[in-house]
Amino acid sequence: AVESGFEGPEKILEVDFNRKLGPSGGMRNLPRPQWDEILDLARCQILSKTSNTEFDAYVLSESSLFVYEHKVFIKTCGTTTLLRCLPLLLENATRIGMELEWLCYSR
């Protein structure tokens, strides 16, 4: 059998939140268990994390997650179901006082 290098379509979800609302640190305040639960719905897992003063960067089993104070950017490929994580992501954001401003999904 010939193995294909094709891993499925690249999917990008970018979620921007109102900069005038929410706590200091914004989306970076969500704890790891909440990110794990959100990403489980997308069928990917966090492998590692690194942070600087501007954002948290996560290496995922199926690509990358970048979390800024007022933005979440998830890029996946393979068999991920990226849109399935959106309701829980927005629910968690609302819970900490964030308000959706703009959303983009591309495939």
Side-chain angles (χ1 to χ4, degrees), residues 18 37 60 63 72 77:
N18 186 325
E37 188 178 354
L60 306 179
S63 208
V72 173
C77 59

Side-chain angles (χ1 to χ4, degrees), residues 6-11 42-43 61-63 75-82 107:
F6 181 68
E7 296 179 3
E10 177 180 272
K11 296 168 273 284
R43 295 176 41 188
S61 56
E62 297 283 344
S63 208
K75 179 179 177 180
T76 66
C77 59
T79 58
T80 56
T81 52
L82 196 48
R107 179 175 171 223

Side-chain angles (χ1 to χ4, degrees), residues 1-106:
V2 176
E3 285 191 38
S4 169
F6 181 68
E7 296 179 3
E10 177 180 272
K11 296 168 273 284
I12 297 173
L13 179 63
E14 182 176 341
V15 185
D16 292 1
F17 297 94
N18 186 325
R19 292 184 164 278
K20 297 176 183 168
L21 299 174
S24 176
M27 293 303 290
R28 296 180 78 183
N29 290 319
L30 286 185
R32 170 71 185 261
Q34 287 180 318
W35 285 115
D36 289 336
E37 188 178 354
I38 290 165
L39 293 168
D40 280 347
L41 294 172
R43 295 176 41 188
C44 58
Q45 293 80 39
I46 295 170
L47 302 179
S48 66
K49 174 188 175 186
T50 188
S51 298
N52 63 27
T53 58
E54 299 298 317
F55 63 92
D56 302 319
Y58 297 84
V59 173
L60 306 179
S61 56
E62 297 283 344
S63 208
S64 308
L65 162 66
F66 300 94
V67 181
Y68 299 81
E69 186 171 0
H70 294 99
K71 179 191 297 269
V72 173
F73 183 88
I74 309 173
K75 179 179 177 180
T76 66
C77 59
T79 58
T80 56
T81 52
L82 196 48
L83 286 177
R84 290 188 180 174
C85 76
L86 185 58
L88 186 57
L89 172 64
L90 294 176
E91 178 184 316
N92 279 289
T94 300
R95 189 177 302 130
I96 63 168
M98 305 298 286
E99 178 183 274
L100 178 66
E101 184 170 273
W102 184 82
L103 166 60
C104 179
Y105 173 78
S106 64

